[in-house]
Amino acid sequence: MPHHITPTRLAVALPITVLALAAFWPALFSPQSPLTGLPAEYLTAPSLHHWFGTDQFGRDVFARVVYGSFSTLSSAVLAVGVSLLLAIPAGLLAGLSSPRVERAIRACADIVLSIPEIFLSLSIITLIGPGAIHVALAVGISQTAGFVRMIHTEVARVQATEYMEAAIGIGGTFSQVVLRHVLPNSLAPALALASLRLGTAILAISTICFLGYGPPPPTPEWGLMITEGRDYLSTAWWITTFPGLAIIFSAWTASLVSHAIRSTP
């Protein structure tokens, strides 16, 4: 094994590869249809033919879990992207502007952080309506305040370094200093937080979809699959168990990525 391929990197790369392939090439994992099933095979226990069993409509649960990865993971990535898109300019503004503006932005962030994210997400969805994209937007907005606080803290730290004084001393303009020094050095910790918040976004999106605010049936989505199978817990445990394990696996993978980023020298 080459010296640069460590067991830690393999432990991170393998689950990421599995999730990426499941999201973008689900047919590699299952030839079954996630939307149609055979009524004669409804509530079939896990077997060699149906690895995760079938649901109340005879649909293959393994196929629905695999195809559902794109809906859940893409929504989580969109949510984190929205958070960063909103937080980067707000964090830079708080760190580079006047103390009055800084206090105002920090006060707004503190108010948002005082509200539980799931309640804030549900409140936003109530205003803009249900749907996969709306769920991602709501979760992304609810997570923005944490990114704002981190980016603001990093901007203040970078501004106090000696190389910032040197950059200004040699005649660097404000925009050059911000783009070449402040922004790149302030975003590195935010990337580790983004990967960690990706796991939180997966859990939040699945919870909201479980409550019925996500994509409508028969869309294969992990949270929706759990709510569809909750009436069959005593007779068909596999309908809810395997989507739940997929959620846990995805959130665990996100935490691995976050740890790998933070531990990289």
Side-chain angles (χ1 to χ4, degrees), residues 78 82 120-142 208 213:
L78 177 59
V82 168
L120 181 58
S121 299
L122 291 173
S123 300
I124 296 172
I125 291 173
T126 302
L127 295 175
I128 64 178
I133 295 180
H134 289 178
V135 169
L137 291 175
V139 172
I141 293 172
S142 68
I208 294 172
Y213 294 101

Side-chain angles (χ1 to χ4, degrees), residues 31-64:
Q32 304 276 0
S33 170
L35 301 177
T36 59
L38 298 175
E41 296 184 352
Y42 78 102
L43 300 182
T44 300
S47 63
L48 292 178
H49 183 58
H50 298 289
W51 291 358
F52 290 178
T54 61
D55 62 10
Q56 64 272 31
F57 300 106
R59 298 173 300 196
D60 186 79
V61 174
F62 178 71
R64 288 181 61 77

Side-chain angles (χ1 to χ4, degrees), residues 93-106:
L93 184 62
L96 300 173
S97 58
S98 65
R100 181 177 298 179
V101 175
E102 178 185 5
R103 287 194 297 268
I105 294 176
R106 290 188 60 181

